[in-house]
């Protein structure tokens, strides 16, 4: 596989044109153990050179540190990239485990100003509601986000982890360019209602964790035994104990297909996600995260790998056999509200 620039796609009807694969920047600041800032900055430049133009962050990542980290890169390449960030998940300095969800208009107005300041820019290309608080009417939240568009602080709106019904409700208030939800060989909940709604409305899908947080690549087989104490995957049900053992066995067809193509397991998993675009007739721009340039180039090469109908059939049963939930607490996911 060559290292030519990847192709592009429109991110939703009327949305920005971006590389068909984006980059999730979360792990450059937190959640996956120790980070190497110099290597991460090199990866950002490598991504842009390869045609990756959608760079994804959120105010929760490192409690704002990830947005601050990205600011120099954003400043140097502002006209070349599509910058996405998110609001809604609230943390507390006195409780590292606390995660609240805020969707009220006053909070949204405060959050966007803080993100703009940390990112060193006067406009966010794609602004997501990171999680949904059912206690706040969706029309109020999306209405406040739409006001940010009118003010020129945000160009396009996105949602994350919402149901198909919620996506339709939000889209009726203001056009939604993208829906970001977990979507991979291990996680297909999003196909129940959100994907059909997105296809109907012309909303792009931006799959996060398309590599199952590294599990699909074979990077680890038991998080509790192999990963560092600062790695949040140690606490995810799918990746430890009997669940991990059962789930690792499900990867046999992935490795078989990879060997047949002279590819890696990661490339097969990403190619599967990329081909959801043809299956469901909508734009799909996965955002695998990595901190290393070599891994980045491996990931983007997957955009040029096409799986046959027979290979797709081998992969089809996997998600239905996965043991364990995506999170220890699923209450803030769209799955819990289906």
């Amino acid at each position: 596989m060559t290292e030519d620039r990847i192709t592009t796609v429109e991110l939703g009807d009327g949305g920005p044109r971006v590389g068909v694969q984006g980059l999730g920047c979360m792990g450059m600041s937190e959640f996956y153990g120790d980070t190497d800032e110099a290597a991460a900055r090199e990866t950002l430049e490598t991504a842009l050179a390869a045609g990756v133009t959608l760079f994804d962050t959120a105010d929760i990542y490192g409690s704002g540190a990830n947005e601050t980290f990205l600011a120099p890169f954003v400043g140097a390449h502002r006209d070349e990239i599509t910058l996405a960030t998110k609001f809604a998940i609230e943390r507390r300095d006195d409780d590292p485990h606390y995660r609240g969800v805020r969707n009220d208009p006053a909070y949204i107005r405060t959050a966007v100003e803080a993100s703009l300041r940390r990112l060193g820019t006067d406009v966010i290309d794609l602004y997501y509601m990171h999680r949904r608080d059912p206690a706040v009417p969706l029309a109020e939240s999306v209405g406040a986000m739409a006001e940010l568009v009118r003010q020129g602080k945000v160009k396009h709106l996105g949602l994350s982890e919402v149901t198909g019904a919620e996506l339709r409700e939000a889209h009726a208030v203001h056009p939604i360019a993208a829906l970001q939800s977990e979507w991979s060989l291990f996680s297909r909940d999003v196909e129940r209602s959100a994907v059909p709604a997105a296809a109907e409305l012309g909303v792009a899908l931006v799959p996060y964790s398309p590599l199952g947080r590294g599990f699909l690549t074979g990077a680890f087989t038991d998080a509790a035994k192999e990963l560092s104490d600062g790695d949040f995957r140690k606490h995810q049900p799918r990746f430890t104990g009997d669940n991990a053992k059962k789930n690792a066995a499900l990867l046999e067809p992935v490795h078989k297909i990879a060997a047949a193509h002279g590819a890696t397991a990661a490339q097969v998993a990403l190619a599967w996600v990329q081909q959801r675009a043809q299956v469901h007739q909508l734009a799909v721009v996965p955002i695998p995260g990595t901190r290393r340039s070599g891994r980045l180039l491996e990931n983007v090469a997957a955009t040029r790998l096409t799986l046959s109908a027979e290979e797709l059939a081998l992969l089809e049963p996997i998600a239905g056999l996965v043991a364990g939930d995506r999170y220890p607490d699923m209450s803030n996911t769209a799955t819990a509200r289906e």
Side-chain angles (χ1 to χ4, degrees):
M1 298 179 187
T2 64
E3 293 179 5
D4 299 329
R5 289 176 64 85
I6 61 176
T7 58
T8 62
V9 67
E10 189 176 67
L11 198 67
D13 289 348
R17 195 154 194 91
V18 299
V20 75
Q21 188 181 113
L23 178 62
C25 299
M26 178 181 81
M28 294 179 175
S29 297
E30 194 182 16
F31 298 110
Y32 291 108
D34 294 337
T35 61
D36 182 332
E37 185 172 311
R41 293 200 180 283
E42 180 183 347
T43 300
L44 293 172
E45 298 291 346
T46 300
L48 186 58
V52 173
T53 56
L54 176 62
F55 292 84
D56 183 272
T57 183
D59 58 7
I60 186 183
Y61 302 159
S63 297
N66 195 242
E67 290 180 327
T68 301
F69 165 79
L70 287 173
F73 177 75
V74 172
H77 301 288
R78 191 65 192 91
D79 295 336
E80 303 169 76
I81 69 171
T82 296
L83 176 63
T85 192
K86 316 177 198 71
F87 74 89
I89 304 180
E90 188 178 37
R91 304 176 76 167
R92 291 176 178 168
D93 292 338
D94 60 350
D95 182 357
H97 301 294
Y98 176 80
R99 300 289 187 272
V101 177
R102 294 279 303 275
N103 289 174
D104 56 282
Y107 181 81
I108 294 170
R109 289 190 289 268
T110 299
V112 74
E113 295 297 342
S115 286
L116 288 167
R117 183 173 62 253
R118 286 188 294 261
L119 289 161
T121 187
D122 58 1
V123 63
I124 294 164
D125 299 314
L126 178 59
Y127 198 43
Y128 287 103
M129 178 191 293
H130 206 166
R131 291 293 185 271
R132 166 96 170 96
D133 177 6
V136 179
L138 195 54
E140 288 186 14
S141 303
V142 178
M145 296 169 71
E147 182 61 28
L148 301 179
V149 176
R150 288 189 285 272
Q151 293 172 354
K153 296 175 182 179
V154 170
K155 291 183 179 179
H156 304 281
L157 302 185
L159 301 173
S160 181
E161 287 283 353
V162 297
T163 67
E166 290 168 339
L167 179 58
R168 287 188 177 91
E169 183 182 351
H171 196 76
V173 176
H174 187 279
I176 303 299
L179 168 61
Q180 184 175 137
S181 289
E182 186 166 356
W183 202 5
S184 74
L185 282 169
F186 267 27
S187 300
R188 298 178 61 176
D189 308 13
V190 70
E191 295 174 25
R192 292 177 190 167
S193 69
V195 166
E200 172 192 321
L201 299 170
V203 176
L205 253 292
V206 178
Y208 72 81
S209 298
L211 295 174
R213 295 180 172 81
F215 193 86
L216 289 167
T217 73
F220 67 98
T221 56
D222 189 324
K225 296 178 180 178
E226 301 170 48
L227 302 181
S228 66
D229 288 342
D231 197 310
F232 86 124
R233 292 172 292 183
K234 291 172 71 75
H235 308 290
Q236 293 189 296
R238 292 184 171 175
F239 305 142
T240 59
D242 288 342
N243 284 349
K245 186 176 181 179
K246 292 175 183 176
N247 292 337
L250 298 176
L251 299 178
E252 182 179 352
V254 178
H255 294 295
K256 180 181 178 181
I257 293 168
H261 284 275
T264 65
Q267 289 170 334
V268 171
L270 283 171
W272 181 88
V273 175
Q274 302 275 180
Q275 284 180 240
R276 299 301 93 192
Q278 287 74 49
V279 172
H280 296 282
Q281 296 299 299
L282 78 172
V284 177
V285 183
I287 49 169
T290 183
R291 297 171 287 193
R292 292 183 289 168
S293 292
R295 188 71 73 189
L296 183 285
L297 293 174
E298 175 187 341
N299 290 345
V300 297
T303 66
R304 295 179 282 276
L305 173 62
T306 301
L307 304 179
S308 69
E310 293 76 15
E311 289 167 337
L312 292 173
L314 287 174
L315 300 172
E316 182 65 23
I318 290 176
L321 300 172
V322 171
D325 283 332
R326 295 192 281 131
Y327 295 99
D329 178 1
M330 292 285 287
S331 61
N332 286 326
T333 67
T335 307
R337 299 192 303 278
E338 287 284 5

